[in-house]
Amino acid sequence: MLEGVTTFSNTKMKPLTSKQLQRIEKKKKKMAAYLEIAKLNDKDREAKALMHRNREESESSDADSNTGARTLREGPSRKRHKKDNDTLLQNTEETTVDESSQPECPEDPPDQKDGPEPEPELEPVVSFPNNLPPGFSDHATGPSGKVQLSGDEFAQLKRELRERKNRLKCIPRFRLKEVGEWASLTVKEDERTPLFLTDIQHLLMCSMLGHHSPYQPSRWCQLEKYNRLSHTVVLLIEGLSLYDFQAHESLFPAITDNFSNRIEIITPLAYNGSIIEEMAAAPLTGTQKDRLLKQFGSLEVAMKEREDLFKIFRAIFPVFEPSWSNSQVTRPLSDRYSRTQLLLSPTQLVEENYPLPLKGELRARYADFVLTKDLYHEVTHNSPMFGLDCEMCRTTTGELELTRVSIVNEKLEVVYETYVKPYNNITDYLTRYSGITKELLSDVIVRLEDVQKNIKSLLPPDAILVGQSLNFDLMALKMMHPYVIDTSVIYNITGDRFRKTKLALLAHRFLGEAIQQGNKGHCSVEDSSTCMKLTQLKLANNLEYGDAILAGRRSAALAQHRQMQVMADSPSRHEIATSIFSHVTKMDKSAAIVGCEEVIDKYSSYMSESMISIGDDSHSDNKAVQCFVTENETVASQTCDIAREYSFTIAHIQVDRAECDNEIKMFKRVNRWCRAVWESIANNGMCVVILSGQQRGANGACFIQIKRPPTADHALTTVRHQ
């Protein structure tokens, strides 16, 4: 064999298969495509290089025409220009900024950077957009249309921007959180979840007391730098509703132009409550109740001894007022605390989309719903609990309709069980989840109204319904009930209130039971019994049990505080409360109320005599709440005169629509009141306008805004452009 010569065997090569030939063709096509892309990239590179050369030539010509000046502008070499710009800023600050020119706000100390000395023969010229503060707008502009500043002028502008930025950090801010956004008027009406007037009360208390406030509005909004608020003014207009504003929005420019936060609220008029009570009375916290119990033995005795305590009654459902006190009822031995502490509050009922007999915008949503009882009794420590669960199927309406309902008592005995035949034809039995089949409903004659009638006669007037996400079951039943314990709320293993845990996982984790197994669907008796056992297990332990959020705090006192707060807001309950003004005045804040004689009398009933002063004795040392009695027509003007003298002011105007001949004139008059009050408050003052809603009518509305100094808005815009 010759060296360097490769030999091959005489064996013949195998012919290529069809698949191999296809692969080769695909590779050829890919290579051709890559080649075309490479050609396009080369063309792009050539075009960019030509553009860069042209730009550099134009810049060099500009530099020659401006001898002794250097123009900093955004060019092709962005990193290099940015570095030069930073060096120039450091040099000019070092030579022109002194410590005495800095603001007193300690949150943003002046920059202290060392840099090389600027070249004396070159005076820097800096280009800026045209939106400069006053005093810099008359300077010449460069070829690009931007204002050109010399070194000293630029240093002055930089110093002013820094000072304004520091001032912005000291300005109070208000913003809505997710819950507040869902109550905003920007959300569609059928998707909106209104807030309660008590939510607004919590915001007002926070604006005065900050973290010292017994109740925080953190569930729906955030108030930053509350201590920078100059004062708070509330304009409450009784007689107007959300519908009035939305139907005649063009007649309220004082609101549309100045108030960006507009939310729907459920006012007490929707459930025959008292607006003044909701505004003036703040329920006692758990800590406050504990102190009174230790000092007086009972809250009833505490009320007799202290004049700053008041008994309030908040009713959403029709509740019979008993002659005996709840404290006289002994709780079951198996419960370590009262089961009423697990009840959902009205706020939670709204948040969890439970049907409520509220008037206004929610009225149409539950127009065909019925109450579980015509008259309820006040819930007690030993009110009976009933586990409830329903199964549903999808019908021709596209909605889920009731097909089975099961109710068990505390002994896990089935007290009611039936299948239900919907009026609409079933399109999907959802057997995998509901366990319902066509055969099970073939002979059923029970209808929805039969179930409603049976439940109404079965449940006692103080019954507590227990279930997992019970709002869906009540929706299917088209019934409303005041006393609810929701296992998806009292148990939380995710650490997030908005993430619910499935019932099967709760049963496995806490009961060691496996439920909802197989593909034959859920059993409503099994699910209702599981919910009852979970609730009983919770009552046998503590309030933190099964709740990752409360347990994460590692403080039983905080957990008790939260649950007592929920208990204070629970529906249809008597509560001991104190005045919102007593909290405000404890922090050495001054307060004022402006209204007619009838309004002042009602507010006075929620304050002790030693706290208030009627008339113009505003310099009284012992009476921190000043009441100004005036006619409804002059409430706004009186408020404008005294608003800046007090930390907290409530102006309450009653609009009598029966005596108003022309509604358009009335709306325009209300608009003038709103504008006058807005213009009278000081910068950094918070203004809250509340429309009370109407009985058997629409809900109320609330408009919130913090008044900004004019320079703050301009400085904020300028800083953002930088």
Side-chain angles (χ1 to χ4, degrees):
M1 182 181 297
L2 297 176
E3 187 176 344
V5 178
T6 304
T7 60
F8 296 91
S9 62
N10 293 329
T11 58
K12 297 182 179 180
M13 296 180 64
K14 295 182 179 180
L16 298 175
T17 62
S18 60
K19 289 186 177 179
Q20 290 174 332
L21 292 174
Q22 290 177 0
R23 291 195 197 100
I24 293 174
E25 290 297 326
K26 288 182 179 179
K27 289 181 179 179
K28 289 180 179 180
K29 292 180 180 179
K30 288 182 179 179
M31 294 301 297
Y34 290 151
L35 181 60
E36 293 297 327
I37 293 174
K39 292 179 180 179
L40 293 175
N41 290 338
D42 291 338
K43 292 181 180 180
D44 290 341
R45 293 191 188 97
E46 292 176 0
K48 288 183 179 179
L50 180 60
M51 181 180 65
H52 290 168
R53 285 196 297 271
N54 294 337
R55 184 177 296 177
E56 289 176 357
E57 291 175 0
S58 62
E59 288 181 354
S60 61
S61 61
D62 290 343
D64 294 339
S65 61
N66 296 281
T67 305
R70 180 176 51 180
T71 303
L72 298 179
R73 60 181 79 220
E74 199 173 338
S77 182
R78 186 169 300 178
K79 291 183 178 180
R80 176 172 55 83
H81 285 173
K82 183 178 185 301
K83 182 178 180 181
D84 294 341
N85 194 11
D86 292 341
T87 304
L88 175 61
L89 295 182
Q90 294 173 4
N91 297 339
T92 54
E93 285 181 20
E94 188 71 24
T95 57
T96 59
V97 179
D98 57 2
E99 296 182 358
S100 61
S101 64
Q102 297 304 310
E104 296 181 359
C105 181
E107 298 179 6
D108 191 11
D111 297 335
Q112 296 179 355
K113 300 179 181 179
D114 297 328
E117 292 294 331
E119 300 176 4
E121 66 275 5
L122 293 179
E123 182 183 9
V125 178
V126 185
S127 297
F128 274 93
N130 290 329
N131 53 345
L132 293 172
F136 296 95
S137 58
D138 55 348
H139 285 70
T141 58
S144 62
K146 297 181 179 180
V147 177
Q148 291 184 334
L149 302 178
S150 63
D152 293 339
E153 293 172 329
F154 174 67
Q156 179 185 352
L157 175 62
K158 182 69 176 178
R159 183 171 63 252
E160 291 187 7
L161 290 179
R162 189 188 306 114
E163 292 174 357
R164 292 181 182 183
K165 184 177 180 180
N166 289 341
R167 287 198 297 269
L168 284 175
K169 290 184 177 181
C170 300
I171 292 178
R173 290 181 176 84
F174 172 84
R175 68 175 182 86
L176 296 176
K177 291 186 176 180
E178 184 178 8
V179 174
E181 293 288 354
W182 279 110
S184 174
L185 299 187
T186 58
V187 178
K188 294 181 180 179
E189 180 181 323
D190 55 346
E191 299 177 358
R192 198 182 303 149
T193 303
L195 300 177
F196 278 89
L197 186 59
T198 50
D199 291 315
I200 309 302
Q201 183 204 60
H202 297 167
L203 170 64
L204 298 177
M205 297 180 69
C206 180
S207 69
M208 293 291 101
L209 310 178
H211 60 276
H212 296 291
S213 173
Y215 297 102
Q216 295 289 334
S218 54
R219 83 174 189 94
W220 67 277
C221 71
Q222 181 172 347
L223 180 62
E224 301 176 1
K225 305 290 183 183
Y226 78 93
N227 55 336
R228 298 287 180 175
L229 286 171
S230 55
H231 58 154
T232 301
V233 178
V234 181
L235 177 60
L236 199 160
I237 303 176
E238 188 175 350
L240 267 64
S241 66
L242 173 63
Y243 172 79
D244 294 324
F245 172 76
Q246 292 182 321
H248 307 88
E249 189 168 340
S250 61
L251 299 178
F252 297 95
I255 293 177
T256 56
D257 295 345
N258 299 314
F259 293 84
S260 58
N261 302 293
R262 310 169 194 171
I263 55 181
E264 179 181 352
I265 59 173
I266 299 173
T267 60
L269 292 180
Y271 46 88
N272 298 321
S274 169
I275 294 178
I276 294 178
E277 178 182 285
E278 294 280 350
M279 283 292 295
L284 298 180
T285 64
T287 303
Q288 292 170 334
K289 288 182 178 180
D290 290 340
R291 291 175 182 172
L292 293 175
L293 289 174
K294 291 178 181 179
Q295 182 178 358
F296 299 100
S298 69
L299 296 179
E300 286 75 9
V301 176
M303 281 196 62
K304 296 178 181 179
E305 298 294 332
R306 290 181 51 173
E307 60 175 4
D308 61 336
L309 298 179
F310 313 95
K311 199 167 188 177
I312 60 174
F313 181 76
R314 295 176 178 176
I316 294 180
F317 291 83
V319 179
F320 170 74
E321 183 176 354
S323 58
W324 38 265
S325 172
N326 195 359
S327 60
Q328 299 173 347
V329 181
T330 58
R331 65 172 182 262
L333 297 177
S334 58
D335 297 352
R336 293 186 59 184
Y337 51 90
S338 175
R339 55 188 57 179
T340 60
Q341 293 183 247
L342 298 181
L343 295 176
L344 296 185
S345 68
T347 302
Q348 289 176 306
L349 291 173
V350 173
E351 286 181 350
E352 302 293 337
N353 294 317
Y354 275 82
L356 295 175
L358 296 171
K359 303 176 180 63
E361 302 294 337
L362 297 177
R363 191 176 191 177
R365 192 183 305 178
Y366 309 124
D368 56 345
F369 281 53
V370 299
L371 297 175
T372 53
K373 302 295 290 186
D374 294 329
L375 184 66
Y376 298 92
H377 288 177
E378 184 176 345
V379 68
T380 64
H381 306 308
N382 59 3
S383 292
M385 298 188 299
F386 294 88
L388 171 67
D389 188 72
C390 298
E391 303 297 343
M392 287 80 77
C393 297
R394 195 174 302 279
T395 64
T396 53
T397 62
E399 303 293 334
L400 297 176
E401 295 193 38
L402 182 70
T403 51
R404 184 183 181 185
V405 56
S406 301
I407 300 178
V408 300
N409 59 18
E410 295 186 47
K411 297 180 180 180
L412 307 182
E413 300 170 342
V414 178
V415 295
Y416 185 68
E417 163 76 11
T418 184
Y419 290 98
V420 187
K421 187 173 184 178
Y423 283 106
N424 301 297
N425 295 328
I426 297 176
T427 58
D428 189 350
Y429 285 87
L430 302 173
T431 305
R432 180 182 176 184
Y433 304 102
S434 66
I436 304 297
T437 61
K438 184 176 181 180
E439 293 73 21
L440 288 175
L441 299 181
S442 59
D443 298 330
V444 175
I445 59 174
V446 177
R447 297 289 189 176
L448 177 61
E449 59 266 24
D450 299 324
V451 175
Q452 292 174 342
K453 184 178 180 180
N454 293 334
I455 291 179
K456 207 168 185 177
S457 61
L458 170 69
L459 294 179
D462 63 337
I464 300 175
L465 292 182
V466 176
Q468 173 83 0
S469 297
L470 204 56
N471 55 308
F472 295 106
D473 303 286
L474 292 175
M475 289 287 189
L477 290 168
K478 291 190 175 182
M479 303 189 79
M480 296 178 283
H481 191 77
Y483 311 127
V484 173
I485 296 178
D486 194 330
T487 52
S488 70
V489 176
I490 64 175
Y491 281 90
N492 186 292
I493 62 176
T494 64
D496 185 352
R497 285 293 178 208
F498 298 99
R499 292 177 58 194
K500 303 297 181 64
T501 303
K502 294 182 179 180
L503 182 62
L505 182 56
L506 293 177
H508 174 73
R509 177 73 62 88
F510 297 100
L511 301 176
E513 299 179 0
I515 65 171
Q516 301 175 354
Q517 299 295 307
N519 56 2
K520 294 184 179 180
H522 302 175
C523 174
S524 55
V525 174
E526 181 182 54
D527 289 353
S528 57
S529 299
T530 301
C531 291
M532 179 61 69
K533 287 188 282 187
L534 285 170
T535 303
Q536 291 173 337
L537 180 64
K538 178 91 171 183
L539 290 170
N541 288 273
N542 52 42
L543 289 169
E544 293 181 351
Y545 182 81
D547 195 323
I549 296 178
L550 294 183
R553 295 174 181 173
R554 301 185 182 277
S555 172
L558 288 178
Q560 180 75 10
H561 170 80
R562 175 191 172 275
Q563 290 298 334
M564 293 301 290
Q565 179 175 339
V566 171
M567 185 179 176
D569 288 335
S570 61
S572 307
R573 288 188 53 83
H574 291 280
E575 277 300 323
I576 307 300
T578 184
S579 173
I580 183 177
F581 300 99
S582 64
H583 290 288
V584 173
T585 54
K586 283 179 181 178
M587 302 297 292
D588 294 330
K589 305 272 187 178
S590 57
I593 307 173
V594 186
C596 64
E597 185 175 358
E598 179 184 357
V599 167
I600 296 299
D601 288 342
K602 291 180 179 179
Y603 277 102
S604 300
S605 63
Y606 294 98
M607 292 182 285
S608 61
E609 294 183 1
S610 60
M611 185 187 303
I612 62 174
S613 175
I614 307 294
D616 197 20
D617 186 16
S618 59
H619 300 287
S620 176
D621 296 332
N622 299 324
K623 300 180 179 181
V625 181
Q626 187 71 28
C627 297
F628 296 88
V629 180
T630 184
E631 299 294 330
N632 279 302
E633 295 293 330
T634 58
V635 169
S637 59
Q638 180 70 44
T639 303
C640 295
D641 295 337
I642 58 97
R644 298 196 182 194
E645 302 176 11
Y646 297 89
S647 302
F648 180 62
T649 304
I650 293 182
H652 192 128
I653 304 177
Q654 292 179 323
V655 176
D656 191 352
R657 306 187 67 155
E659 298 180 357
C660 183
D661 298 332
N662 190 327
E663 284 193 342
I664 302 300
K665 290 183 179 180
M666 178 188 66
F667 295 150
K668 290 182 177 180
R669 185 165 62 251
V670 172
N671 179 71
R672 290 195 298 270
W673 293 339
C674 296
R675 186 176 299 280
V677 171
W678 171 257
E679 293 176 350
S680 68
I681 68 174
N683 291 333
N684 294 336
M686 186 169 71
C687 186
V688 180
V689 177
I690 300 174
L691 305 183
S692 69
Q694 292 179 302
Q695 290 185 339
R696 299 177 298 278
N699 284 334
C702 183
F703 312 97
I704 307 168
Q705 194 69 30
I706 296 177
K707 193 172 184 178
R708 294 265 186 251
T711 56
D713 292 333
H714 183 83
L716 181 60
T717 304
T718 307
V719 170
R720 285 177 178 173
H721 280 83
Q722 297 304 318

